[in-house]
Amino acid sequence: MAPTCANANDRLRERQGIVTSQFEFLRFLRFLRDRPGSRVADLAAEFAIGIGATSKGIDRLEKQAWVIRRTNPSDRRSSLLDLTDDALQLVEAAEATFTETPAELTAGALRGPSGLAAVQVLSELRSVLECDQIGLPTG
């Protein structure tokens, strides 16, 4: 039997009903939850994509009731973005799906305790790099 070749995007779609780009937006907004005030322009800059494309992506998340736009009191021309409780649950589940993919991809090549240690180190490295925003687009 040939192995299946599901990537992270396929797994997210199958398990959580979202695609990688939606997951990344939700994940970024969850990361900033303690610092409210994210705007569409902030996401566009973070992901180095256009404001129009970002706004359309947020529109889709809003239709699913995962993101709420509220008027920006400092600048009424823009909106501030908040995650809903459903979105927080979704992004937690999607995070598990997203992080298991590298472990599964390396399972055949890295067997035994050394393979598990390598996966743990790579996972920790990824977390540190994300926390320090190393290697992320800056717009």
Side-chain angles (χ1 to χ4, degrees), residues 7-20 22 97:
N7 60 32
N9 194 61
D10 295 337
R11 290 172 189 216
L12 286 169
R13 182 180 290 121
E14 177 185 308
R15 296 176 188 175
Q16 279 79 41
I18 60 174
V19 294
T20 308
Q22 292 171 315
T97 297

Side-chain angles (χ1 to χ4, degrees), residues 92-134:
E92 291 297 326
E95 185 74 39
T97 297
F98 192 77
T99 56
E100 78 184 22
T101 300
E104 290 177 7
L105 290 172
T106 59
L110 302 171
R111 297 196 189 283
S114 62
L116 179 58
V119 168
Q120 288 173 332
V121 167
L122 291 172
S123 179
E124 288 176 26
L125 175 62
R126 177 176 163 237
S127 294
V128 168
L129 293 173
E130 286 176 352
C131 183
D132 292 340
Q133 297 185 341
I134 297 171

Side-chain angles (χ1 to χ4, degrees), residues 17-81:
I18 60 174
V19 294
T20 308
S21 59
Q22 292 171 315
F23 167 65
E24 292 294 346
F25 278 8
L26 293 170
R27 184 187 202 193
F28 180 74
L29 290 170
R30 182 198 60 191
F31 177 73
L32 294 179
R33 191 160 192 232
D34 295 334
R35 295 178 281 169
S38 293
R39 302 166 304 142
V40 169
D42 298 326
L43 266 74
E46 179 67 24
F47 292 101
I49 58 177
I51 290 177
T54 306
S55 186
K56 285 181 183 179
I58 294 298
D59 289 345
R60 289 183 193 105
L61 296 176
E62 193 175 25
K63 282 182 184 175
Q64 296 295 324
W66 295 328
V67 172
I68 297 169
R69 292 183 199 230
R70 58 186 168 86
T71 303
N72 184 346
S74 308
D75 179 0
R76 294 206 169 271
R77 295 173 296 161
S78 69
S79 299
L80 301 178
L81 306 172

